[in-house]
Amino acid sequence: MDTDTVRSPAADDSAGRRREQRGWYFYDWACSVYSTSVLTVFLGPYLTSVAEAAADADGFVHPLGVPVRAGSFFAYAVSLSVVVAVLVMPLVGAAADRTGRKKPLLAAAAYTGAAATAGMFFLDGDRYLLGGLLLVVANAAQSVAMMLYNSYLPQIAPPEERDAVSSRGWAFGYAAGALVLVANLVLYTGHEGFGVSEGMAVRICLASAGLWWGAFALIPLRRLRDRRTPAREAALPGFRQLAATVRDMRRHPLTLAFLLAYLVYNDGIQTVISQASVYGSKELGLGQSTLIVAVLLVQVLAVAGALLLGRLARRYGAKRTILGSLVAWTLTLAAGYFLPAGAPVWFFVLAAGIGLVLGGSQALSRSLFSQLVPPGKEAEYFSAYEISDRGLSWLGPLLFGLTYQLTGSYRDAIVSLVGFFVLGFVLLARVPVVRAIADAGNPVPQRI
């Protein structure tokens, strides 16, 4: 027998793991276009304009008979979508753990979101209710799918590989977002040359994100494998599993203290991401092409910022670097309050500031949290982390919408988010992370 052609079981396992990892990266490539093109760039300003077209003489629409200022409708819809996601995620997560069949559930969530996004092509005229419904469905489905997607990481990568595998997933997502935004920019700015109206160009960009999502989701769904869960490890039904996990987390109060700080400042981050285009469009009077370029700038600089903050963390520690990023977020929002209307250059400067702290603050927060998770409970804790993250992230959009409804000023709405970063800074500064890592049963790194 030619021994050169014989593969060892370890080699086969390694090759299979690499194949799954490459497939896993492509889900970020598939769904990140929704987050970038739809949620961050196009849907906020466009749905707001559709709601304004349907508004009464006082500028209010009346979904289910409730008076809502048209400019607040998008923020409220985002907030509602998060509430729906939080209600669904524990049920789906428990079903996935109990049966071990994550892939069919991931497929259902991904294609529900992709279909709702593709359906945004029909959002025209005064169909603001249709737009709100599609947004709630797409955003909730994306949250559920991301929970399932993230839960694959401990299964496809051993501990020593997870940082690298997770980072490559982020990189794939940023790359896809930037690539599609370039195509969006070409279509939107040259819509007359393509023989379509401006509104039609926006609707094509929205729908194409859904088609992209659905097409590239096929790759991870072909490569990822289901793993049966032994009966003794089966999850409790629905919210009972979440409650059991929370009870266990109470044995590690410092881990919970960090999680609370993260949930507060991350809510501010997510709200800035989802509402920045509305602010640029409605308050600063900037065109859609300017907003696309600004978000493209954020996408590119987020990669550089993540690498930069990663280097700073190696020198000063993750906690200090995150605290510094929260100061930068606060200053950036304060500067945004004073931006002059109709000045794209200054909006690009603001976008550059957001990009430089965006990727790093989120990546370092995730890696620091991983140090606070008791060994052997990574998947359980990160599942609760995802649910808790979504559970609090409705507050930012709600505060943004309420502030605008009460003041009629997007400047007041954007600066109201400063409180999330200030409070998050205070809560994080009070967490003794070295003791928290030791209490979790993990070795303490030389610099943290």
Side-chain angles (χ1 to χ4, degrees):
M1 179 181 293
D2 184 359
T3 57
D4 290 339
T5 63
V6 177
R7 293 175 59 88
S8 68
D12 288 338
D13 288 345
S14 177
R17 188 170 72 249
R18 302 295 181 205
R19 173 180 169 82
E20 279 198 276
Q21 289 172 0
R22 288 192 292 269
W24 187 80
Y25 301 148
F26 269 96
Y27 189 74
D28 222 324
W29 174 275
C31 74
S32 291
V33 171
Y34 165 81
S35 299
T36 304
S37 291
V38 176
L39 198 60
T40 305
V41 177
F42 286 108
L43 188 58
Y46 186 70
L47 181 56
T48 300
S49 67
V50 172
E52 289 173 345
D56 58 23
D58 296 322
F60 285 82
V61 290
H62 299 269
L64 304 179
V66 178
V68 173
R69 192 183 289 272
S72 298
F73 181 75
F74 172 71
Y76 288 156
V78 172
S79 184
L80 177 60
S81 72
V82 174
V83 174
V84 172
V86 169
L87 294 175
V88 174
M89 276 194 287
L91 304 176
V92 176
D97 288 339
R98 188 169 58 250
T99 65
R101 293 180 58 80
K102 294 179 183 178
K103 192 156 67 170
L105 294 170
L106 176 60
Y111 283 103
T112 297
T117 305
M120 293 176 186
F121 178 80
F122 301 101
L123 178 57
D124 62 352
D126 59 358
R127 298 178 177 175
Y128 77 96
L129 283 176
L130 173 63
L133 175 63
L134 293 175
L135 168 59
V136 169
V137 172
N139 217 35
Q142 194 228 22
S143 297
V144 173
M146 284 302 296
M147 178 196 68
L148 295 166
Y149 163 74
N150 288 334
S151 71
Y152 270 102
L153 182 58
Q155 296 179 338
I156 65 173
E160 66 273 12
E161 293 182 3
R162 286 179 200 164
D163 286 345
V165 171
S166 179
S167 296
R168 291 189 195 111
W170 277 77
F172 265 59
Y174 282 129
L179 178 64
V180 174
L181 270 182
V182 170
N184 292 159
L185 183 61
V186 170
L187 174 61
Y188 184 82
T189 57
H191 62 85
E192 292 182 354
F194 289 101
V196 298
S197 66
E198 181 178 314
M200 176 64 76
V202 171
R203 289 160 54 201
I204 291 173
C205 291
L206 293 172
S208 65
L211 298 177
W212 177 284
W213 187 354
F216 284 104
L218 289 171
I219 298 176
L221 291 174
R222 285 180 61 88
R223 294 195 174 187
L224 292 171
R225 295 188 295 110
D226 278 331
R227 293 162 174 83
R228 289 289 182 180
T229 303
R232 60 184 176 84
E233 298 179 3
L236 296 170
F239 290 98
R240 289 175 58 195
Q241 176 62 50
L242 178 60
T245 302
V246 171
R247 283 195 300 270
D248 186 76
M249 293 180 75
R250 290 174 62 186
R251 296 170 49 234
H252 304 280
L254 297 180
T255 299
L256 278 176
F258 171 81
L259 184 59
L260 175 61
Y262 168 73
L263 296 182
V264 171
Y265 66 75
N266 186 60
D267 194 10
I269 292 174
Q270 296 302 324
T271 307
V272 172
I273 293 172
S274 66
Q275 304 300 324
S277 290
V278 176
Y279 180 69
S281 172
K282 299 301 179 181
E283 183 67 38
L284 304 182
L286 302 177
Q288 193 73 61
S289 59
T290 299
L291 301 179
I292 296 172
V293 173
V295 174
L296 182 59
L297 184 62
V298 169
Q299 291 290 110
V300 173
L301 288 180
V303 178
L307 296 175
L308 173 62
L309 266 65
R311 290 192 174 189
L312 291 175
R314 285 195 294 271
R315 182 170 182 178
Y316 300 105
K319 177 182 174 180
R320 290 181 180 178
T321 306
I322 296 171
L323 289 173
S325 76
L326 298 182
V327 173
W329 273 108
T330 301
L331 295 176
T332 300
L333 284 184
Y337 179 85
F338 296 102
L339 285 186
V345 173
W346 288 109
F347 192 70
F348 292 150
V349 172
L350 182 71
I354 291 174
L356 286 173
V357 294
L358 172 62
S361 55
Q362 291 182 313
L364 290 178
S365 297
R366 180 168 60 181
S367 63
L368 183 54
F369 180 74
S370 71
Q371 302 276 359
L372 309 179
V373 176
K377 296 188 176 182
E378 292 84 2
E380 181 181 350
Y381 272 56
F382 269 104
S383 176
Y385 172 88
E386 182 74 17
I387 293 171
S388 300
D389 181 4
R390 302 295 178 180
L392 194 61
S393 62
W394 57 271
L395 284 176
L398 180 62
L399 176 62
F400 186 94
L402 282 173
T403 303
Y404 178 76
Q405 176 140 345
L406 294 174
T407 67
S409 169
Y410 284 109
R411 292 185 187 272
D412 291 338
I414 201 73
V415 83
S416 71
L417 303 178
V418 166
F420 288 96
F421 298 102
V422 173
L423 180 58
F425 180 98
V426 172
L427 292 174
L428 178 58
R430 293 170 58 88
V431 178
V433 292
V434 172
R435 182 151 59 92
I437 294 171
D439 288 353
N442 295 315
V444 180
Q446 289 185 342
R447 189 175 298 279
I448 192 66

